[in-house]
Amino acid sequence: MGCSSSSTENKKSEKVVKAALVIQNWYRGYRARLKARQHYALTIFQSIEYADEQGQMQLSNFFTFMLENFTPSRKEDPALVSRLFETTFQDIKDRRDYVGLIDVPDSYEGPRLEFPLTFTDIGQLLEAFKQQQILHAHYVLGVLFETRKLLKQMPNFTHVKTSPSKEITVCGDLHGKLDDLFLIFYKNGLPSGNNPYVFNGDFVDRGSNSIEVLMILLVSFLVYPNDLHLNRGNHEDFMMNMRYGFTREILNKYKLHGKKILQILEEVYTLLPIGTIIDNEILVIHGGISESTDLNLLHRLERSKMRSVLMPPVSINKDNATDLKKSKMGITLTAPGRVRSSDLSSEQLSKHEWEQIVDILWSDPRGRKGCYPNTSRGGGCYFGPDVTSKVLNKYQLKMLIRSHECKHDGYEICHDGKVITIFSASNYYEEGSNRGAYIRLGCGMNPRFFQYRVTSSTCMSPLHHRVHAMENSAIRILKERIISRKTDLMHAFQLRDHSRSGKISIAQWAFSMESILGLNLPWRSLSSRLVNIDKSGNVDYMSSFQDVHIEKPVKEVHSTLIETLYRYRSDLQIIFNVIDSDHSGMISMEEFRTMWKLFRTHYSVDIDDSQVDALANTMDLNKDGSIDFNEFLKAFYVVHKYEKLSTSEAS
């Protein structure tokens, strides 16, 4: 009897264990599938981010092409040449001429800074920004002028020392994420003589609180210039700011004095150090290195000449100015030919120096040996473990700390522990997409990593809800990319649809998507979220464009033109902003046509000029011969079907 009871109990236990194993295996598979979906979403975000940066980098070629094919129309006012390639900031007067002319009214309830600044001002600023107060333009300009004065005294590389009792904290990209900066200071303490920091570039852009992040960092730098170190990133660049949001943020928050802030900020960027060396062992730079990185040259070049990565050295002869047709833009198309000689050589870096800085601001490490072009970003290079060892050994260094890339865990170690990537903006792409992190370093100690994530109510939701939201956001921006190339994709699909059935294989569809979009994405894995697939495994390729279309400002306009203007709208906006020397937001129809012709030629855009003329005339609402180019470009936007339905239901 007793034996029978024991046998029954054993069988029950076996069933329980088997059930537990089944549940455990199911849950592991479920988690793995969620992680795979999360990984695909992050891959989409990153691929599109890098493709945008590649487009931004290609603008440097366009500006060179533009200067070689245009000539200043007025010798006394070569506005475009000055804007693009001169590094003197003659219009910026001293502090009194700028700050002294801006009064702070008694009604202003925000923080009031007193120069010279003290530790109290840091605390005051933090509390004010937590209350979402705006720092008055008078104080913003004051901080920028004081920062400019101090930065002029600094070398290209800051050399710092640590000890076991005095560690240093290295933070990566913040990108205007104010809550991340608050969290870092809460966990790690405020900057001080005993708590030094290195902030490794990309303080601004993308996030909505870039000016607040920048002001906190600059005020802390002014209070502790020997203990808070700021490195320049690839987004400390006024032309990057035009594309990625910081320029717009400043002009929205400082409507009266925003242009003055941008003007002095442009110079402050050029004066930021380009790296930090800790204990003569650890090199901290924003991007990376190349096989030709020359730290000796980087130590001695004039960093203030590097205004923007989009402004490579170019030969311009101002004496070529002739009495051509007058325009606010100050330029007109000349006969084919290249501009020779140079009066600007003293104003520019040499090509080799410029490339050296581009490499340290834009490069990324990879597992493959060697050094090869960074095709994803369009600037800098990919460098392998052999390049890392070679450069570190050459300069008796042990480690490279860099930022520049979003990492899921906030940091990543590669190249046999010799390269560390640190990224401090959590939730960079979407809520829950990644953690932020910082590193603490001390003499003779191993690096210690601290991770965090700014939380909100959505982070309390289950993982599958968060992954679903992230996935939807990624698919949304991918569909916008797809619809902007509809004409090209349709042509690629139809070339493979020999039977004209409207269907092709998944392999053919995936090949077409990659050949046109060039995003290096796992299209087969993403196909179930993007297209309809029949039982035979064939793709209805027209479903690639379902639920999304580009809104036309004028119904008669050809779809090809609409797609082209939508695809290049960010590039065109930067070009028009550069041309708009008086910041009016308006350009003449003549300027618009002339610039479009040059843009079309350089980018090999097959669009008839008459179509653009007709559209521009339609957008000239009051028929005064000028168009608001920002409004013009905003007229092209993507409509998602589900958004349209939501709007209808709400109304």
Side-chain angles (χ1 to χ4, degrees):
M1 189 76 177
C3 291
S4 175
S5 175
S6 174
S7 175
T8 303
E9 289 296 323
N10 286 338
K11 288 180 180 179
K12 285 183 178 179
S13 297
E14 287 176 9
K15 287 182 179 179
V16 169
V17 170
K18 286 180 180 178
L21 288 173
V22 168
I23 293 170
Q24 187 181 63
N25 288 335
W26 172 86
Y27 184 70
R28 283 176 177 170
Y30 170 73
R31 291 279 296 189
R33 288 190 294 275
L34 281 180
K35 290 293 183 184
R37 287 168 57 191
Q38 187 179 45
H39 172 73
Y40 288 145
L42 288 173
T43 301
I44 292 171
F45 283 127
Q46 197 163 60
S47 294
I48 291 177
E49 177 190 7
Y50 290 174
D52 283 342
E53 289 186 343
Q54 185 180 96
Q56 180 81 348
M57 290 294 290
Q58 288 171 354
L59 274 179
S60 65
N61 297 328
F62 173 75
F63 286 129
T64 302
F65 178 76
M66 181 170 68
L67 265 295
E68 290 175 342
N69 287 272
F70 277 64
T71 303
S73 67
R74 289 173 288 167
K75 188 172 182 179
E76 66 275 13
D77 183 25
L80 188 65
V81 178
S82 299
R83 176 72 167 144
L84 285 176
F85 295 101
E86 290 185 12
T87 58
T88 55
F89 296 85
Q90 296 169 349
D91 292 337
I92 299 179
K93 302 173 185 177
D94 64 29
R95 190 177 188 276
R96 288 172 300 176
D97 292 321
Y98 258 58
V99 184
L101 298 175
I102 302 175
D103 293 325
V104 182
D106 294 337
S107 59
Y108 170 68
E109 296 180 352
R112 294 176 181 268
L113 306 180
E114 293 186 18
F115 297 90
L117 299 170
T118 66
F119 179 80
T120 305
D121 293 298
I122 301 175
Q124 184 187 177
L125 208 56
L126 289 169
E127 288 305 313
F129 290 157
K130 285 177 184 177
Q131 301 301 317
Q132 299 183 340
Q133 294 178 343
I134 301 292
L135 183 64
H136 196 278
H138 174 89
Y139 300 115
V140 173
L141 285 165
V143 169
L144 291 174
F145 271 95
E146 290 300 309
T147 301
R148 182 182 72 160
K149 183 168 66 176
L150 190 53
L151 286 175
K152 283 182 176 179
Q153 304 168 25
M154 298 192 65
N156 292 350
F157 285 83
T158 311
H159 290 254
V160 299
K161 292 282 188 181
T162 67
S163 67
S165 61
K166 185 180 179 179
E167 296 181 325
I168 193 167
T169 302
V170 180
C171 299
D173 301 35
L174 284 167
H175 280 300
K177 296 271 194 174
L178 184 59
D179 287 339
D180 284 297
L181 185 57
F182 286 154
L183 189 55
I184 291 169
F185 286 164
Y186 173 78
K187 291 169 67 73
N188 196 61
L190 292 175
S192 70
N194 295 316
N195 192 26
Y197 279 86
V198 176
F199 285 91
N200 197 27
D202 281 13
F203 322 128
V204 300
D205 275 337
R206 302 188 188 278
S208 59
N209 295 109
S210 291
I211 190 64
E212 288 80 10
V213 168
L214 185 65
M215 284 296 106
I216 290 171
L217 295 181
L218 295 185
V219 167
S220 300
F221 168 68
L222 291 173
V223 176
Y224 298 108
N226 298 317
D227 298 290
L228 189 130
H229 311 284
L230 302 172
N231 291 343
R232 187 176 185 178
N234 65 308
H235 280 264
E236 279 66 63
D237 182 312
F238 81 97
M239 296 191 78
M240 293 290 288
N241 297 164
M242 288 181 187
R243 188 184 195 114
Y244 293 105
F246 189 33
T247 298
R248 187 165 55 251
E249 178 188 334
I250 288 178
L251 293 175
N252 285 339
K253 290 180 179 177
Y254 298 97
K255 291 180 171 59
L256 286 178
H257 305 292
K259 291 166 187 173
K260 293 179 180 177
I261 292 171
L262 290 171
Q263 191 178 25
I264 181 67
L265 184 59
E266 185 179 333
E267 185 181 7
V268 168
Y269 285 160
T270 69
L271 296 170
L272 286 168
I274 53 179
T276 302
I277 297 177
I278 301 172
D279 295 326
N280 293 321
E281 293 183 343
I282 301 172
L283 175 64
V284 185
I285 50 178
H286 180 72
I289 54 178
S290 73
E291 59 189 358
S292 61
T293 293
D294 184 343
L295 291 184
N296 294 325
L297 174 61
L298 286 166
H299 268 82
R300 65 176 184 267
L301 58 74
E302 294 182 65
R303 68 181 186 274
S304 62
K305 291 181 178 180
M306 182 66 161
R307 291 184 60 201
S308 172
V309 72
L310 299 184
M311 298 178 177
V314 66
S315 295
I316 299 296
N317 186 355
K318 294 182 187 176
D319 294 330
N320 280 351
T322 56
D323 237 346
L324 300 174
K325 188 171 286 187
K326 184 176 180 181
S327 73
K328 180 185 75 178
M329 179 167 64
I331 56 177
T332 188
L333 196 57
T334 64
R338 303 176 70 86
V339 179
R340 295 184 177 86
S341 103
S342 175
D343 289 333
L344 293 180
S345 58
S346 63
E347 301 287 348
Q348 304 179 86
L349 295 171
S350 69
K351 187 174 186 294
H352 180 59
E353 290 172 331
W354 181 82
E355 289 171 344
Q356 289 278 310
I357 296 184
V358 171
D359 282 343
I360 67 168
L361 294 183
W362 282 83
S363 297
D364 296 307
R366 289 294 181 266
R368 173 182 149 194
K369 288 185 176 182
C371 185
Y372 42 103
N374 192 328
T375 51
S376 295
R377 296 187 191 269
C381 69
Y382 292 129
F383 60 99
D386 55 327
V387 175
T388 295
S389 296
K390 173 187 169 185
V391 173
L392 293 182
N393 291 339
K394 181 178 179 179
Y395 297 102
Q396 291 82 53
L397 298 167
K398 293 183 178 178
M399 184 184 294
L400 166 64
I401 296 178
R402 42 90 62 179
S403 303
H404 195 44
E405 286 184 288
C406 176
K407 298 298 178 183
H408 181 260
D409 294 318
Y411 72 95
E412 184 178 84
I413 304 171
C414 64
H415 293 187
D416 300 318
K418 293 177 181 177
V419 174
I420 295 174
T421 297
I422 191 74
F423 196 85
S424 299
S426 68
N427 307 310
Y428 178 59
Y429 294 117
E430 189 68 32
E431 188 82 53
S433 63
N434 66 286
R435 294 177 181 177
Y438 58 86
I439 314 172
R440 286 186 65 88
L441 301 160
C443 186
M445 302 168 63
N446 290 325
R448 292 184 295 144
F449 299 92
F450 296 83
Q451 298 168 290
Y452 55 86
R453 179 180 285 141
V454 172
T455 58
S456 67
S457 57
T458 58
C459 279
M460 301 304 292
S461 61
L463 176 62
H464 69 275
H465 286 172
R466 284 180 275 144
V467 170
H468 182 69
M470 191 189 317
E471 196 174 40
N472 281 345
S473 181
I475 294 296
R476 169 196 165 91
I477 64 170
L478 181 55
K479 283 190 172 185
E480 292 177 4
R481 202 86 181 187
I482 291 169
I483 197 66
S484 74
R485 300 300 299 271
K486 181 178 179 179
T487 301
D488 295 330
L489 285 168
M490 281 297 299
H491 180 66
F493 295 151
Q494 289 168 353
L495 279 176
R496 291 162 179 81
D497 180 16
H498 302 298
S499 63
R500 296 292 181 265
S501 64
K503 294 184 178 181
I504 53 178
S505 69
I506 290 181
Q508 290 173 322
W509 175 82
F511 179 84
S512 300
M513 295 294 281
E514 184 57 34
S515 64
I516 298 300
L517 297 175
L519 293 174
N520 195 27
L521 288 174
W523 293 107
R524 286 172 181 254
S525 300
L526 295 170
S527 60
S528 61
R529 291 299 309 271
L530 295 172
V531 288
N532 299 330
I533 305 171
D534 65 19
K535 292 179 181 178
S536 302
N538 292 318
V539 173
D540 172 8
Y541 54 77
M542 281 303 294
S543 65
S544 305
F545 317 109
Q546 63 189 357
D547 302 335
V548 63
H549 71 272
I550 302 175
E551 191 72 7
K552 292 184 179 182
V554 182
K555 290 184 179 179
E556 295 78 16
V557 178
H558 293 187
S559 295
T560 307
L561 173 59
I562 296 299
E563 290 168 23
T564 301
L565 289 172
Y566 178 79
R567 187 160 69 250
Y568 289 112
R569 68 197 186 285
S570 295
D571 300 319
L572 289 167
Q573 190 163 28
I574 292 172
I575 292 165
F576 290 144
N577 270 297
V578 170
I579 295 167
D580 180 29
S581 57
D582 64 1
H583 303 291
S584 67
M586 307 291 289
I587 57 173
S588 71
M589 293 291 290
E590 181 186 353
E591 290 167 345
F592 178 86
R593 291 189 187 103
T594 303
M595 186 51 59
W596 170 258
K597 287 178 182 177
L598 190 65
F599 186 86
R600 174 177 57 78
T601 302
H602 181 68
Y603 282 87
S604 301
V605 174
D606 187 21
I607 299 289
D608 188 76
D609 291 342
S610 62
Q611 294 182 42
V612 181
D613 280 354
L615 181 58
N617 281 320
T618 305
M619 300 300 289
D620 178 13
L621 300 178
N622 58 1
K623 305 303 176 187
D624 65 349
S626 296
I627 59 172
D628 182 329
F629 59 84
N630 288 306
E631 291 302 316
F632 175 82
L633 294 171
K634 282 180 188 174
F636 310 96
Y637 58 93
V638 170
V639 175
H640 295 262
K641 185 178 179 182
Y642 65 86
E643 284 182 350
K644 211 168 185 179
L645 290 172
S646 301
T647 305
S648 302
E649 289 168 5
S651 58

